[in-house]
Amino acid sequence: MPLIPEEPQIHESVPGPRATPAAGRTAPTPRPVPGPGPRPAPPRGAPASSARPGKPGPAAPSRGPVPAPPVQRTDSPQPPVAPTGTAAGPQLQLIPAPAGGAVDAADEAVDLLLDSGRPPGEILVLTTGENHPWATHELSFGAASYWAQQDAADDVFYADAGAERVTGRPVVVVAVNDGNDGNAANDDATARALPAALARAGALLIVCGDPERINAVLGAHA
């Protein structure tokens, strides 16, 4: 499933844990669309109905009693009924970024999501290459406390895309930072990580990486 790159924009806010770019490395900071989120509650005292008011003017005259429609024959052909109950999948967004700047682009996406009102506990960040610096730091205190933070679900959680213990969240951000050196193993890892991330995303999946590579990997494994 090819992904269409989003229009890059710049955002300066840097809340929460962030990766520190390496010296001399410049990473793009495109601005993703925050995506679907909780609808704000109506102001206190506002009417419950959101129907638009009618057009001003005199009331239409009474048309009198309306005759009942004729009884439909049961043997007449009926129009097909559209299937119902099919749940729509998550929205997909692609943030163009080189492998060396994918983590920075993912951090910028997280900042924008938080600024838009998305609760931090609804965001999961995955990396296909080296761990996010936050994950590396938290893992230094032991795996038990690290995974306990995922279960608490009160903050953004960072994990390896191939970790089996990772659970789904409404928003998943993937940093494709494993490099694009023609290594088939890297492409295979990315091809496995992206469908898994899509399955974990409840409302929105954001992929930060090289658009040509991502589309090629997804197309080869479609």
Side-chain angles (χ1 to χ4, degrees), residues 53-78:
K55 185 177 180 180
S62 175
R63 299 176 56 188
V66 179
V71 178
Q72 190 171 11
R73 296 176 55 187
T74 57
D75 57 350
S76 60
Q78 300 294 320

Side-chain angles (χ1 to χ4, degrees), residues 74-93:
T74 57
D75 57 350
S76 60
Q78 300 294 320
V81 179
T84 59
T86 56
Q91 292 184 6
L92 304 179
Q93 293 183 10

Side-chain angles (χ1 to χ4, degrees), residues 3 92-96 172-176 194 205-209 214:
L3 298 179
L92 304 179
Q93 293 183 10
L94 174 60
I95 306 299
V172 176
V173 182
V174 182
V176 183
L194 295 183
L205 173 65
I206 301 175
V207 183
C208 305
I214 294 171

Side-chain angles (χ1 to χ4, degrees), residues 116-201:
S116 72
R118 176 71 64 174
E122 294 186 357
I123 303 173
L124 169 67
V125 180
L126 303 174
T127 53
T128 62
E130 293 183 0
N131 280 339
H132 189 281
W134 184 93
T136 301
H137 177 265
E138 294 300 321
L139 281 169
S140 66
F141 298 103
S145 61
Y146 168 75
W147 290 110
Q149 296 182 61
Q150 173 184 245
D151 299 336
D154 56 4
D155 202 354
V156 181
F157 189 72
Y158 299 79
D160 184 274
E164 296 182 356
R165 292 183 60 178
V166 176
T167 57
R169 289 195 177 186
V171 179
V172 176
V173 182
V174 182
V176 183
N177 63 330
D178 56 358
N180 186 15
D181 53 4
N183 189 331
N186 285 346
D187 287 344
D188 288 342
T190 301
R192 291 191 301 269
L194 295 183
L198 181 62
R200 292 184 174 113

